[in-house]
C-alpha cells in the first residue's frame, strides 16, 4: 500500500527511500510499508551525516547483457524527487540486488571513507547502516588499534572499558557486537565484538577502547608506531566517536537442519535421532488429540504465553529484555486457541489456515531434521586482560585447541556453525572444567599468585560470560568461524553420545578452512559493475546440491562442492569465483533429493506419506519413518483436518452492544478494502506461478537440444520467471504486512466502545464467505476475550505490532489517512495526516491525482 504523502521535510530526510530500477532502466518508488518506516535512526550513517538523503535501490537479478548495460548506466546516476543519488555501497541484501545510494553531495565523503574501493564499500558499508539497539556518541574517546592477539585481542574482537558498558546499561559479563565510527580527520569505521576491560586496566593504558587491526574495515593505511603506555606498537586515535551496539550474548536455542542430520552415523540415526523425533511427534499427537494447544505450541513453537493479569511490562530501553517474548504475548490465532475451551476456535477458517501452515513447517522440519533443539551461543575467543600488582597481563589463544569453555555440563560437544559445508565442520571439542582451566589461565598469564577474587573476576567477565562458547582461534577457523559475533550451536555428548562418537570416529578426511585469497580491488568508477556482480545468492542452491550428492551416496561430489560453496561465500571480498562448470556437471549427474521440493508446503496434507528414496539417503529414510507417525491430523484417514465450520457459525460471538449504522458501514468499508487488496495479491501470485510453470516446461522441452542459443534463451526465461516469483513473494509479504497494519491502525483509532466496534466487524465478517482474517487483524484482543468469556477459558494477551502513535481516518470521500500524533515541544500535541489512498469501489484503489488540502496538514 503506497501513498502520495504530505510530510515534514526534516522527517522525510530521515527516511530511507525504497526505489526500483527495472530492466528498461526506469526508476520508480517501491510501495512503502505502514508503521515504523526504515529510517536512519539507530544507524551510524545518520549520526555522521546530518541531512544526508539515502535511497535503497533494487535492481533485477536476471538480465540479458543489454539489459544489464542499461541498468548499470542508470545506476551511475539515479534521479528521484529532485535529488541526484549516487551508489555508495551495500549490505547483506546485495545478493538480492539491493544497494545504497546517497545524495551527490555526500557521495564523495563516503567514497573517501572506503578508500575509493568499491568492493570494500559493497561489503562494509553495512557498518554504517546496521541497526544498533544502543548508541553512544563520545566527544573525546581514546581508541588504540593493535595487531590481532596483542593485549588479549583476537580476530575482530576488542575491549571496551566497563564505564562504557555501564553508560550503555549493559552487564559487564556480556559479549557485545559493535559498530564504530571514529577519526574525524580521516574517517574510519570498525566492526566486531567486545569484552569489558576493568577501569584499572583502561586507566593504566590510558585508553577507552582497544581494537585489533582486523576490526577496521577496510584495513588501515600507513605505518604504526611504538606506544609506550601500551608497551606495543599500534595506533592511537583521540577525538569524537560513535559506538553502536547491535546485540549482546544471551542464552538461546537453534533448531536443527537436514544439513546436520545427513552427517549422522547410522547408529545415531536409528537410536538417537529417530527416537528423539518419535518422542516429539508423540507429544505433538497427544496434545492435538486432547485439544491441549498450550502443550501443542510447546512442541511446534510459539510465543510465550502471559495472562492479562500478569502485569508484565516491557521496557523498550532495555536491550537485555529486547527478545523477552513473555512480555509480548501471542499471535492472534495462537491466542484464541489457548483462550477457547470449547474446541471450536480451530474451525474458524483463518485460525485453521494459520495453524495448518505452522504445522506444515514443523512437520517438514521434524521429518527431515528430527526437530532437535540445540543450545546456541555467541562464539568467543579466550582472550584475557587484567592488571596485577601494577603490571598489565594478557593472553590470547592459550586454551588447548581441542577444548572449549562453556556453561554446558556435557563432557564433550560438537560445535556447529551454519552453513555446514561438510562433516568436518562439526568440530569435536571437550569442555574444560575449572580444575583444568584455572591452572592453565595462570600459566598463560605468567603468574601463579592470582588470588581467588581475581580468578573469579576473569571467569565471570571474560571467560564464562553469559551466552558464550569459547574456542581457540585455530579451532574456530576450521569451520570458518571468527569472533565478530558468529552464532554457533552445540550438540552435547550427554544428550547425543552416539552422534558425537560417530563424528569423532569419522575423523578428518577433508580440510577446507576459511580461505584468504587476494583481495579484489577495482577503481571507484567500476562501482556499478562491482555492485551488479554482487547479486545472486548461490549458497542455498549449492548447499542443496551438496545435500543431494550425499543423499545419492556420492560424498566425493559433495566434497567437490565444498570448495564452490566457500567460493560463493568469498566471491565478493576476494578474487575468486564459483566454477560454474563443476556445479553444472554435478547437477547433471545427481538428481535432487526427492524430499527437498516439499520445504515450503503450507498444508500438512501436501507432505507425501511416502517417498521413493535411495538407501544412501539418510534424511529421506528418516522422513518415511516419521511422516507416517505425524499422520494427517487429527486422525489417520486425514478426513478430520479438513472439516471447518463456516465463518457464519461465529456470528453470535458478540452481542448486546449498541452498534450504530455509521459503525457498521465503516466496518463494511474496511472489510471490502481488505478483501480487494488480498485477492489482488493472491491473483498476482497465481499469475507469476503460472508463468514460471510455463517457462519451466519450455526449458524442459529444449534442455536436450543441440541448439545452444535455444537452450540459453529458455534457461534465461526460466530464471527470469523464478526471479519474478521470488520478488513477488517478497513484495507480497510487505503488502500483507502493510494491509494488516492498515487494519490495525484503523482499529487503533477506535478507543471508545471497542467491543461495539468488534461486534460490528464480527457481524460484517460473518455475513460474508471470507476466512475472518480482518476480524483478527482489527480487534484481536476483543475476540480472544470474547472466546474466554463464553467458553470459560483464560484471557491471553495478544501480541500487537509495533506501531507509531496514530490511527487511520476516513473522510467523506472514502480517502484514507494515517493520522500520526506528534509531540510538540512548543505546546499541545499536534497531528500529521498522511494520505494513503482513496477507495472507489471493488478492486479500485486510487493513489494518483488526489491532493490533500493544506488545511488538513495539522489539527
Amino acid at each position: 500500500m503506497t501513498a502520495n504523502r504530505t510530510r515534514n521535510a526534516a522527517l522525510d530526510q530521515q527516511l530511507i527511500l525504497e526505489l526500483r530500477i527495472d530492466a528498461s532502466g526506469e526508476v520508480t518508488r517501491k510501495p512503502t510499508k505502514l508503521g515504523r518506516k526504515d529510517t536512519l535512526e539507530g544507524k551510524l550513517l545518520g549520526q555522521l551525516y546530518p541531512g544526508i538523503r539515502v535511497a535503497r535501490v533494487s535492481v533485477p537479478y536476471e538480465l540479458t547483457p543489454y539489459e544489464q548495460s542499461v541498468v548499470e548506466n542508470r545506476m551511475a546516476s539515479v534521479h528521484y524527487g529532485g535529488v541526484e543519488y549516487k551508489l555508495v555501497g551495500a549490505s547483506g541484501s546485495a545478493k538480492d540486488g539491493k544497494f545504497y545510494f546517497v545524495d551527490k553531495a555526500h557521495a564523495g565523503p563516503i567514497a573517501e571513507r572506503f578508500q575509493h574501493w568499491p568492493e570494500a564499500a559493497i561489503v562494509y558499508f553495512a557498518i554504517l547502516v546496521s541497526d544498533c539497539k544502543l548508541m553512544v556518541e563520545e566527544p573525546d574517546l581514546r581508541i588504540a588499534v593493535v595487531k590481532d592477539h596483542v593485549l588479549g585481542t583476537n580476530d575482530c574482537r576488542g575491549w571496551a572499558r566497563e564505564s562504557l558498558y555501564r553508560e550503555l546499561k549493559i552487564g559487564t559479563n556480556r559479549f557485545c557486537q559493535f559498530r564504530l565510527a571514529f577519526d574525524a580527520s580521516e574517517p574510519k569505521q570498525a566492526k566486531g565484538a567486545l569484552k569489558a576491560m576493568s577501569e584499572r586496566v583502561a586507566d593504566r593504558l590510558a585508553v577507552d577502547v582497544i581494537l585489533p587491526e582486523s576490526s577496521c574495515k577496510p584495513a588501515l593505511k600507513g605505518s604504526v608506531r611504538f606506544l609506550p603506555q601500551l608497551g606495543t606498537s599500534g595506533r592511537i586515535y583521540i577525538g569524537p566517536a560513535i559506538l553502536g551496539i547491535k546485540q549482546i550474548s544471551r542464552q538461546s536455542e537453534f533448531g536443527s537442519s537436514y544439513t546436520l542430520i545427513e552427517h549422522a552415523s547410522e547408529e545415531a540415526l536409528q537410536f538417537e535421532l529417530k527416537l528423539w523425533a518419535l518422542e516429539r511427534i508423540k507429544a505433538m499427537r497427544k496434545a492435538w488429540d486432547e485439544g491441549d494447544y498450550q502443550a501443542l505450541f510447546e512442541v511446534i513453537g510459539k510465543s510465550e504465553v502471559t495472562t492479562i493479569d500478569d502485569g508484565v511490562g516491557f521496557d523498550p530501553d532495555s536491550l537485555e529484555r529486547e527478545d523477552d517474548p513473555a512480555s509480548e504475548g501471542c499471535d492472534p490465532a495462537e491466542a484464541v486457541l489457548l483462550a477457547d475451551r470449547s474446541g471450536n476456535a480451530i474451525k474458524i477458517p483463518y485460525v485453521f489456515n494459520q495453524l495448518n501452515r505452522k504445522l506444515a513447517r514443523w512437520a517438514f522440519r521434524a521429518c527431515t531434521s528430527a526437530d532437535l533443539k540445540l543450545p546456541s551461543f555467541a562464539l568467543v575467543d579466550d582472550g584475557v586482560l587484567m592488571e596485577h600488582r601494577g603490571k598489565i597481563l594478557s593472553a590470547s589463544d592459550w586454551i588447548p585447541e581441542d577444548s572449549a569453555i562453556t556453561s554446558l555440563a556435557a563432557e564433550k560437544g560438537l560445535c556447529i556453525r551454519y552453513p555446514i559445508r561438510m562433516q568436518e565442520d562439526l568440530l569435536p571439542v571437550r569442555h574444560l572444567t575449572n580444575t583444568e582451566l584455572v591452572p592453565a589461565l595462570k600459566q598463560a598469564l605468567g603468574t601463579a599468585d592470582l588470588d581467588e577474587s581475581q580468578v573469579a573476576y576473569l571467569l565471570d567477565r571474560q571467560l564464562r560470560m553469559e551466552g558464550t562458547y569459547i574456542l581457540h582461534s585455530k579451532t574456530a577457523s576450521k569451520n570458518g568461524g571468527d569472533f565478530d559475533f558468529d552464532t554457533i550451536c552445540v550438540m552435547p555428548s550427554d544428550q547425543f553420545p552416539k552422534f558425537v562418537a560417530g563424528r569423532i570416529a569419522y575423523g578428518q578426511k577433508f580440510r577446507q578452512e576459511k580461505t584468504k585469497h587476494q583481495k579484489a580491488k577495482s577503481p571507484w568508477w567500476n562501482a556499478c559493475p562491482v555492485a551488479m556482480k554482487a547479486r545472486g545468492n548461490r549458497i542455498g542452491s549449492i548447499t542443496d546440491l551438496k545435500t543431494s550428492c550425499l543423499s545419492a551416496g556420492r560424498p566425493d561430489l559433495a566434497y567437490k562442492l565444498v570448495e564452490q560453496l566457500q567460493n560463493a561465500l568469498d566471491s565478493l571480498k576476494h578474487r575468486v569465483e564459483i566454477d560454474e562448470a563443476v556445479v553444472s556437471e554435478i547437477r547433471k549427474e545427481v538428481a535432487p533429493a526427492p524430499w527437498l521440493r516439499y520445504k515450503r508446503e503450507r498444508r500438512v496434507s501436501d507432505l507425501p506419506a511416502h517417498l521413493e528414496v535411495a538407501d544412501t539417503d539418510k534424511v529421506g529414510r528418516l522422513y518415511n519413518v516419521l511422516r507416517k507417525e505425524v499422520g494427517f491430523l487429527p486422525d489417520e484417514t486425514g478426513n478430520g483436518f479438513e472439516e471447518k465450520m463456516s465463518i457464519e457459525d461465529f456470528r453470535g460471538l458478540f452481542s448486546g452492544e449498541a452498534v450504530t449504522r455509521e459503525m457498521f458501514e465503516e466496518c463494511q468499508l474496511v472489510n471490502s478494502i481488505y478483501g480487494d487488496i488480498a485477492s489482488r495479491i493472491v491473483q498476482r501470485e497465481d499469475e507469476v506461478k503460472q508463468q514460471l510453470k510455463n517457462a519451466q516446461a519450455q526449458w524442459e522441452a529444449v534442455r536436450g537440444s543441440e541448439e545452444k542459443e535455444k537452450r540459453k534463451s529458455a534457461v534465461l526465461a526460466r530464471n527470469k520467471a523464478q526471479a519474478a516469483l521470488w520478488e513477488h513473494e517478497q513484495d507480497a509479504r510487505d503488502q500483507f504486512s502493510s494491509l494488516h497494519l492498515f487494519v490495525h491502525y484503523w482499529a487503533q483509532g477506535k478507543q471508545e466502545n471497542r467491543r461495539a466496534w468488534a461486534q460490528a466487524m464480527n457481524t460484517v465478517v460473518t455475513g460474508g464467505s471470507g476466512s475472518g482474517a480482518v476480524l483478527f487483524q482489527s480487534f484481536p484482543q476483543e475476540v480472544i476475550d470474547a472466546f474466554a468469556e463464553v467458553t470459560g477459558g483464560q484471557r491471553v494477551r495478544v501480541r500487537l505490532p509495533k506501531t507509531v502513535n496514530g490511527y487511520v481516518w476516513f473522510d467523506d470521500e472514502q480517502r484514507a489517512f494515517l493520522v500520526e500524533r506528534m509531540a510538540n515541544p512548543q505546546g499541545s500535541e499536534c497531528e500529521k495526516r498522511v494520505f494513503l489512498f482513496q477507495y472507489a469501489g471493488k478492486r479500485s484503489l486510487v493513489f494518483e491525482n488526489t491532493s490533500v488540502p493544506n488545511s488538513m496538514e495539522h489539527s
Side-chain angles (χ1 to χ4, degrees):
M1 302 178 69
T2 188
N4 297 326
R5 297 173 302 142
T6 58
R7 269 193 175 275
N8 179 284
L11 292 174
D12 256 345
Q13 288 186 358
Q14 283 287 310
L15 283 175
I16 297 177
L17 281 180
E18 292 282 355
L19 303 179
R20 175 184 285 133
I21 301 176
D22 66 16
S24 67
E26 183 180 359
V27 179
T28 56
R29 186 168 183 178
K30 295 177 69 176
T32 55
K33 292 182 287 187
L34 289 175
R36 296 189 181 276
K37 307 290 194 302
D38 194 1
T39 72
L40 296 177
E41 184 179 0
K43 298 175 173 65
L44 297 183
L45 188 65
Q47 296 287 105
L48 292 167
Y49 303 105
I52 192 171
R53 305 297 292 269
V54 182
R56 186 162 44 228
V57 180
S58 299
V59 302
Y61 175 58
E62 291 293 341
L63 296 167
T64 66
Y66 171 71
E67 289 170 338
Q68 179 150 332
S69 70
V70 170
V71 172
E72 285 182 11
N73 186 54
R74 175 57 61 215
M75 290 174 70
S77 181
V78 172
H79 292 263
Y80 188 84
V83 179
E84 181 180 3
Y85 291 93
K86 294 287 187 179
L87 174 67
V88 290
S91 65
S93 59
K95 64 183 181 297
D96 298 322
K98 296 180 181 179
F99 305 99
Y100 282 92
F101 288 63
V102 301
D103 60 278
K104 187 176 180 180
H106 288 95
I110 291 177
E112 185 68 31
R113 292 192 77 96
F114 293 98
Q115 303 172 14
H116 291 94
W117 181 357
E119 285 86 357
I122 295 297
V123 174
Y124 300 126
F125 183 78
I127 295 172
L128 303 184
V129 290
S130 292
D131 287 314
C132 295
K133 308 298 189 300
L134 303 170
M135 191 176 290
V136 61
E137 189 166 358
E138 293 290 336
D140 197 33
L141 202 68
R142 298 179 64 88
I143 301 169
V145 180
V146 299
K147 287 188 176 296
D148 289 24
H149 303 290
V150 171
L151 292 174
T153 62
N154 213 305
D155 188 0
C156 290
R157 205 277 302 155
W159 301 96
R161 67 160 68 224
E162 290 183 343
S163 58
L164 272 175
Y165 268 63
R166 288 192 287 270
E167 187 174 348
L168 290 162
K169 300 180 181 179
I170 302 172
T172 51
N173 67 334
R174 297 298 185 94
F175 189 60
C176 300
Q177 187 178 33
F178 78 93
R179 299 292 184 260
L180 178 68
F182 63 103
D183 191 9
S185 60
E186 296 182 16
K188 300 171 176 66
Q189 51 281 322
K191 64 186 283 282
L194 299 168
K195 294 183 184 181
M197 62 177 166
S198 70
E199 294 296 301
R200 292 174 63 180
V201 168
D203 290 343
R204 179 166 288 275
L205 297 177
V207 294
D208 302 304
V209 174
I210 301 174
L211 298 179
E213 290 180 347
S214 56
S215 279
C216 300
K217 307 292 186 182
L220 301 181
K221 291 182 174 180
S223 58
V224 300
R225 62 185 178 88
F226 184 74
L227 304 173
Q229 76 272 29
L230 269 67
T232 186
S233 295
R235 301 172 175 87
I236 287 284
Y237 301 95
I238 304 173
I242 305 171
L243 174 64
I245 301 298
K246 280 197 69 177
Q247 53 186 327
I248 63 174
S249 59
R250 53 166 57 87
Q251 298 288 344
S252 57
E253 278 186 340
F254 268 15
S256 56
S257 163
Y258 54 80
T259 60
L260 171 62
I261 302 306
E262 65 194 9
H263 297 301
S265 66
E266 192 64 35
E267 188 178 14
L269 187 72
Q270 296 298 326
F271 299 108
E272 282 182 349
L273 302 181
K274 185 164 69 175
L275 296 179
W276 175 282
L278 287 171
E279 285 300 314
R280 298 285 291 173
I281 293 170
K282 180 180 177 182
M284 182 277 295
R285 290 298 307 237
K286 181 175 184 294
W288 177 269
D289 293 340
E290 295 177 356
D292 185 348
Y293 292 110
Q294 184 156 337
L296 179 70
F297 291 133
E298 287 174 0
V299 178
I300 69 174
K302 61 164 287 294
S303 310
E304 290 297 323
V305 182
T306 61
T307 64
I308 292 294
D309 300 324
D310 283 345
V312 178
F314 180 64
D315 178 7
D317 298 322
S318 175
L319 183 62
E320 297 192 20
R321 293 192 57 208
E322 180 206 19
D323 294 331
D324 178 9
S327 60
E328 296 193 358
C330 307
D331 288 329
E334 297 170 350
V336 73
L337 290 170
L338 294 167
D340 171 39
R341 293 190 64 183
S342 70
N344 287 319
I346 183 62
K347 299 175 184 178
I348 299 174
Y350 169 77
V351 176
F352 169 84
N353 292 337
Q354 293 294 310
L355 183 59
N356 201 352
R357 197 170 293 182
K358 181 183 283 287
L359 277 167
R361 289 195 298 265
W362 175 84
F364 180 84
R365 193 167 62 244
C367 292
T368 60
S369 65
D371 196 33
L372 305 183
K373 302 296 181 185
L374 302 175
S376 71
F377 305 90
L379 182 61
V380 188
D381 67 295
D382 60 5
V384 288
L385 178 65
M386 66 174 298
E387 187 270 344
H388 179 62
R389 295 184 178 178
K391 293 182 179 181
I392 298 297
L393 305 180
S394 66
S396 174
D397 278 351
W398 53 273
I399 66 172
E401 291 183 31
D402 67 343
S403 67
I405 303 174
T406 177
S407 58
L408 294 175
E411 181 183 347
K412 298 175 184 177
L414 300 180
C415 179
I416 303 161
R417 178 178 176 270
Y418 289 96
I420 300 172
R421 301 165 300 179
M422 54 187 171
Q423 187 164 176
E424 286 82 351
D425 281 347
L426 313 179
L427 306 179
V429 289
R430 58 190 181 87
H431 296 156
L432 295 174
T433 64
N434 285 353
T435 303
E436 181 179 0
L437 180 61
V438 173
L441 171 63
K442 292 179 178 179
Q443 182 178 359
L445 291 171
T447 180
D449 60 347
L450 295 181
D451 60 41
E452 289 185 7
S453 64
Q454 290 173 311
V455 170
Y457 176 88
L458 291 176
L459 290 176
D460 178 61
R461 306 292 176 87
Q462 300 179 13
L463 295 175
R464 292 196 181 277
M465 298 169 291
E466 184 171 341
T468 62
Y469 195 83
I470 290 180
L471 292 180
H472 192 288
S473 66
K474 288 185 178 179
T475 306
S477 70
K478 289 179 180 179
N479 61 11
D482 58 20
F483 304 115
D484 65 354
F485 218 91
D486 279 3
T487 305
I488 58 93
C489 63
V490 180
M491 179 168 279
S493 60
D494 55 355
Q495 283 186 288
F496 303 100
K498 297 184 188 301
F499 199 123
V500 174
R503 166 62 189 97
I504 294 172
Y506 184 82
Q508 188 79 24
K509 298 183 180 179
F510 186 87
R511 183 178 295 276
Q512 175 71 39
E513 295 187 11
K514 191 174 183 179
T515 50
K516 294 290 184 181
H517 298 283
Q518 180 185 359
K519 294 277 188 180
K521 191 167 187 178
S522 304
W524 187 254
W525 61 71
N526 274 341
C528 294
V530 168
M532 294 296 277
K533 181 185 174 183
R535 294 168 306 146
N537 181 6
R538 300 293 305 282
I539 295 171
S541 63
I542 294 176
T543 298
D544 279 350
L545 180 56
K546 174 188 66 68
T547 284
S548 295
C549 291
L550 293 174
S551 298
R554 294 298 304 274
D556 55 321
L557 298 181
Y559 277 126
K560 284 186 178 181
L561 288 170
V562 167
E563 183 177 357
Q564 303 311 317
L565 183 55
Q566 190 61 52
N567 288 345
L569 293 164
D570 293 341
S571 60
L572 188 59
K573 296 182 185 179
H574 307 290
R575 294 192 182 279
V576 59
E577 294 184 358
I578 299 169
D579 190 332
E580 296 290 354
V582 171
V583 176
S584 179
E585 286 302 314
I586 294 175
R587 201 176 294 280
K588 291 177 184 177
E589 194 168 347
V590 176
W595 45 270
L596 276 173
R597 73 186 66 175
Y598 299 103
K599 284 196 293 185
R600 302 169 69 187
E601 296 298 344
R602 297 180 180 179
R603 298 182 301 178
V604 177
S605 57
D606 289 337
L607 296 174
H610 182 83
L611 293 168
E612 294 299 324
V613 299
D615 289 342
T616 51
D617 188 349
K618 294 177 183 176
V619 176
R621 287 160 46 213
L622 185 67
Y623 176 96
N624 282 338
V625 171
L626 299 178
R627 182 65 186 88
K628 294 180 178 64
E629 299 300 321
V630 171
F632 289 90
L633 304 178
D635 55 48
E636 298 296 335
T637 65
N639 295 325
F641 199 42
E642 300 301 328
E643 293 178 1
K644 301 189 292 288
M645 294 171 67
S646 165
I647 190 66
E648 185 180 3
D649 294 327
F650 296 91
R651 191 176 186 86
L653 184 63
F654 292 90
S655 63
E657 303 297 331
V659 176
T660 66
R661 177 182 294 273
E662 291 75 17
M663 294 167 69
F664 186 81
E665 290 177 349
E666 192 168 333
C667 288
Q668 282 184 315
L669 174 62
V670 171
N671 186 55
S672 296
I673 292 171
Y674 186 96
D676 289 351
I677 297 176
S679 62
R680 183 184 302 177
I681 297 171
V682 172
Q683 180 179 331
R684 174 59 183 160
E685 180 173 341
D686 291 340
E687 291 171 358
V688 293
K689 282 184 175 179
Q690 185 60 48
Q691 290 166 5
L692 175 59
K693 184 178 180 180
N694 295 341
Q696 182 68 36
Q698 183 181 359
W699 160 240
E700 294 292 343
V702 302
R703 66 184 305 172
S705 172
E706 295 182 0
E707 297 182 50
K708 183 177 179 181
E709 287 303 314
K710 184 178 289 188
R711 296 199 313 271
K712 186 176 180 181
S713 175
V715 77
L716 178 60
R718 191 274 311 271
N719 291 347
K720 277 193 168 187
Q722 180 66 75
L725 178 58
W726 289 338
E727 183 176 357
H728 166 76
E729 289 174 343
Q730 293 175 5
D731 287 347
R733 280 194 293 270
D734 290 343
Q735 290 166 14
F736 268 117
S737 175
S738 287
L739 179 57
H740 293 160
L741 279 171
F742 158 73
V743 174
H744 175 78
Y745 275 122
W746 169 78
Q748 189 168 271
K750 310 306 178 187
Q751 296 297 319
E752 295 183 10
N753 203 2
R754 284 182 61 85
R755 192 173 176 93
W757 279 100
Q759 180 174 318
M761 181 59 79
N762 185 63
T763 303
V764 169
V765 169
T766 56
S769 57
S771 68
V774 69
L775 178 62
F776 282 88
Q777 297 300 332
S778 55
F779 298 101
Q781 192 64 64
E782 285 72 21
V783 173
I784 274 66
D785 290 350
F787 264 98
E789 289 170 13
V790 300
T791 68
Q794 185 182 43
R795 299 174 67 208
V796 179
R797 188 191 306 274
V798 177
R799 182 174 65 244
L800 299 177
K802 295 179 180 179
T803 60
V804 297
N805 181 18
Y807 58 94
V808 164
W809 170 75
F810 289 96
D811 67 6
D812 293 339
E813 299 176 38
Q814 293 191 7
R815 294 186 301 182
F817 296 84
L818 176 61
V819 183
E820 186 174 350
R821 300 181 181 93
M822 307 292 293
N824 181 10
Q826 309 302 322
S828 59
E829 186 182 75
C830 59
E831 291 182 341
K832 177 182 64 186
R833 296 184 179 181
V834 181
F835 171 68
L836 299 176
F837 58 83
Q838 184 176 24
Y839 185 61
K842 186 168 181 62
R843 290 179 176 269
S844 180
L845 298 180
V846 181
F847 295 99
E848 289 79 30
N849 302 320
T850 306
S851 61
V852 182
N854 292 332
S855 60
M856 298 180 66
E857 288 280 347
H858 301 284
S859 61

